[in-house]
Amino acid sequence: MAGLFWTAGVLGALFIFIRWDGATPWRAELLFTAILTLATIASVLVASMQWWVLKDTLQQSRDALVIQQRAFMTAKEVRFEPLSLFGVEGITWLANVYWENSGNTPTKNLTIVATCVSGFEQLVDPANIPKAKKNTTFQSTTITRAVFGPKQINHAGFCPVTRLEVLLAQYGAFTHLYIYGVAIYHDVFDQSSWRLTRFCFQAGNFVVNGADNDPTMTALVVPCVVRNCTDEECGEEVQSRVAEFMARKIKLYRPFRSKLAAQPNSQAP
């Protein structure tokens, strides 16, 4: 469209130049120079507009490609698996959180923090237990470092569930198990800012079935009404706390490096 306007303008100017009666040579030369200058400026403007449109299109294509390819961690479900104790399976169970990396690239520096809260009281937010209910709840935390490849599904983070809780549930003492936490990681495209996925599941109504040598456990598992978000959805305050936590963690667990005595003729900077 811009090219058509430019062509029409040039033709119109040439028409005026040809039809101009009594034009002296110097006036004709001046008019021709003005037309050439305007045409050059128009060409530069059109080229600049095309460049900016192309640049914006390329940036949008790159952003879409990064979003499609980068790692993205999602807490999919909780599965109950028996733990062998003294050769007997089913005395203690592990409630394993299963994750999926739905991206086409692996995670970098992945840390998963899972906290378990169990008790007889239902909680609105398992991370903020009322003082009156703290004596009737049990808490534990696991920290797992892992690497999830493209499209990989695996478990990371767990909570113990004992057969006692199952028996209590069968006798009407409804027990609640909350599993919540966060996955913190980088993707291969950006290792300067932390990505995060917060998760929270509530489980109850535990039932053990199957044979003694191959027991199975089922439970009612639903997402909590709080603590389920990803990246920017979690808010700046949560992102800031995650960054501070990882800074302390990296400093605390930094591998020990022995200090070598300085050599008199050392060439090291």
Side-chain angles (χ1 to χ4, degrees), residues 90-104:
I91 296 178
T92 300
W93 298 75
L94 293 182
N96 288 313
V97 182
Y98 273 76
W99 294 82
E100 179 184 12
N101 174 16
S102 59
N104 293 321

Side-chain angles (χ1 to χ4, degrees), residues 182-239:
V182 61
I184 310 166
Y185 60 101
H186 289 136
D187 57 50
V188 297
F189 299 99
D190 180 11
Q191 299 189 41
S192 60
S193 57
W194 291 104
R195 308 274 310 281
L196 66 129
T197 299
R198 298 177 83 191
F199 70 97
C200 182
F201 292 102
Q202 178 182 354
N205 284 351
F206 304 103
V207 177
V208 174
N209 293 311
D212 292 339
N213 59 348
D214 187 22
T216 60
M217 173 182 281
T218 59
L220 175 64
V221 182
V222 295
C224 304
V225 296
V226 295
R227 299 187 174 275
N228 285 291
C229 61
T230 59
D231 297 328
E232 292 82 4
E233 295 177 354
C234 300
E236 295 182 358
E237 182 181 354
V238 174
Q239 290 178 302

Side-chain angles (χ1 to χ4, degrees), residues 241-258:
R241 291 205 306 268
V242 164
E244 292 176 0
F245 170 79
M246 292 305 294
R248 294 195 304 269
K249 181 177 179 298
I250 291 173
K251 184 177 180 180
L252 180 63
Y253 294 104
R254 181 174 297 167
F256 173 77
R257 296 180 180 178
S258 59

Side-chain angles (χ1 to χ4, degrees), residues 9-248:
V10 172
L11 291 177
L14 287 175
F15 177 78
I16 295 174
F17 170 68
I18 294 172
R19 299 288 299 174
W20 190 10
D21 297 332
T24 59
W26 70 268
R27 285 181 177 177
E29 183 178 353
L30 179 62
L31 179 59
F32 179 77
T33 303
I35 293 174
L36 183 62
T37 302
L38 290 175
T40 303
I41 294 174
S43 299
V44 172
L45 290 176
V46 171
S48 298
M49 291 177 60
Q50 291 176 338
W51 163 249
W52 284 109
V53 171
L54 178 61
K55 183 179 179 181
D56 185 59
T57 302
L58 290 175
Q59 184 62 42
Q60 291 179 0
S61 299
R62 181 187 181 278
D63 292 343
L65 179 63
V66 168
I67 292 174
Q68 181 182 2
Q69 297 295 324
R70 69 180 183 178
F72 190 84
M73 294 294 293
T74 305
K76 302 292 291 183
E77 61 178 336
V78 176
R79 300 180 191 174
F80 299 91
E81 300 174 4
L83 183 65
S84 179
L85 186 64
F86 303 112
V88 180
E89 289 191 349
I91 296 178
T92 300
W93 298 75
L94 293 182
N96 288 313
V97 182
Y98 273 76
W99 294 82
E100 179 184 12
N101 174 16
S102 59
N104 293 321
T105 53
T107 62
K108 304 284 288 186
N109 307 315
L110 171 63
T111 298
I112 296 177
V113 182
T115 299
C116 311
V117 176
S118 60
F120 300 104
E121 302 286 347
Q122 187 168 2
L123 303 171
V124 177
D125 184 357
N128 295 297
I129 304 173
K131 186 176 181 180
K133 298 181 180 181
K134 287 187 176 181
N135 294 331
T136 60
T137 57
F138 170 79
Q139 298 183 63
S140 64
T141 299
T142 60
I143 299 178
T144 306
R145 297 188 65 184
V147 175
F148 273 64
K151 307 301 182 182
Q152 181 180 359
I153 298 176
N154 204 349
H155 63 85
F158 62 88
C159 294
V161 181
T162 64
R163 186 177 285 270
L164 175 61
E165 293 178 272
V166 178
L167 292 174
L168 290 174
Q170 291 176 348
Y171 283 97
F174 191 82
T175 57
H176 299 269
L177 172 65
Y178 297 90
I179 312 171
Y180 72 92
V182 61
I184 310 166
Y185 60 101
H186 289 136
D187 57 50
V188 297
F189 299 99
D190 180 11
Q191 299 189 41
S192 60
S193 57
W194 291 104
R195 308 274 310 281
L196 66 129
T197 299
R198 298 177 83 191
F199 70 97
C200 182
F201 292 102
Q202 178 182 354
N205 284 351
F206 304 103
V207 177
V208 174
N209 293 311
D212 292 339
N213 59 348
D214 187 22
T216 60
M217 173 182 281
T218 59
L220 175 64
V221 182
V222 295
C224 304
V225 296
V226 295
R227 299 187 174 275
N228 285 291
C229 61
T230 59
D231 297 328
E232 292 82 4
E233 295 177 354
C234 300
E236 295 182 358
E237 182 181 354
V238 174
Q239 290 178 302
S240 177
R241 291 205 306 268
V242 164
E244 292 176 0
F245 170 79
M246 292 305 294
R248 294 195 304 269

